[in-house]
């Protein structure tokens, strides 16, 4: 369950805030159900999340696409500067 805050600022001629709206939305989210538990569930702890949930990729690079023409053009420009 999570809460979303939506702030709407209405200012008068003097720049004073007259109204602030808050929208509370509660919804069941399931994205993290397959992650391993850890400190990250109760605090901002990116390291703990990565250490507990990192899985090494052992496949090859076949899922990658080649460079775009823009990338090739930029690389050509950079190569001339080196």
């Amino acid at each position: 369950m999570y809460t979303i805050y939506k702030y709407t600022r209405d200012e008068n001629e003097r720049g004073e805030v007259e109204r602030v709206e808050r929208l509370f939305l509660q919804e069941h989210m399931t994205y993290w159900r397959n992650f391993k538990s850890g400190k990250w569930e109760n605090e901002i702890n990116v390291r703990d999340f990565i250490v507990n949930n990192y899985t090494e990729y052992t496949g090859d690079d076949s899922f990658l696409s080649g460079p775009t023409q823009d990338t090739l053009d930029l690389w050509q420009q950079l190569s001339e500067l080196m």
Side-chain angles (χ1 to χ4, degrees):
M1 193 162 32
Y2 67 99
T3 304
I4 292 179
Y5 295 90
K6 175 187 173 191
Y7 293 100
T8 305
R9 293 174 55 96
D10 288 339
E11 296 182 6
N12 59 22
E13 310 80 55
R14 296 183 304 256
E16 298 169 335
V17 176
E18 293 183 338
R19 177 180 61 124
V20 176
E21 275 183 39
R22 290 184 183 157
L23 171 66
F24 298 99
L25 175 63
Q26 294 182 348
E27 187 174 308
H28 296 285
M29 292 184 60
T30 59
Y31 304 119
W32 58 79
R33 285 194 179 163
N34 294 327
F35 292 133
K36 295 176 187 167
S37 295
K39 294 177 185 177
W40 65 270
E41 293 176 291
N42 299 308
E43 61 185 56
I44 298 172
N45 195 323
V46 177
R47 182 187 183 285
D48 179 71
F49 176 82
I50 292 172
V51 167
N52 286 310
N53 292 287
Y54 172 78
T55 302
E56 181 181 0
Y57 178 72
T58 57
D60 61 16
D61 61 357
S62 63
F63 68 94
L64 297 172
S65 61
T68 65
Q69 189 59 49
D70 287 341
T71 301
L72 293 171
D73 293 344
L74 179 60
W75 184 249
Q76 178 64 37
Q77 293 173 15
L78 293 171
S79 295
E80 292 170 5
L81 296 173
M82 294 193 281

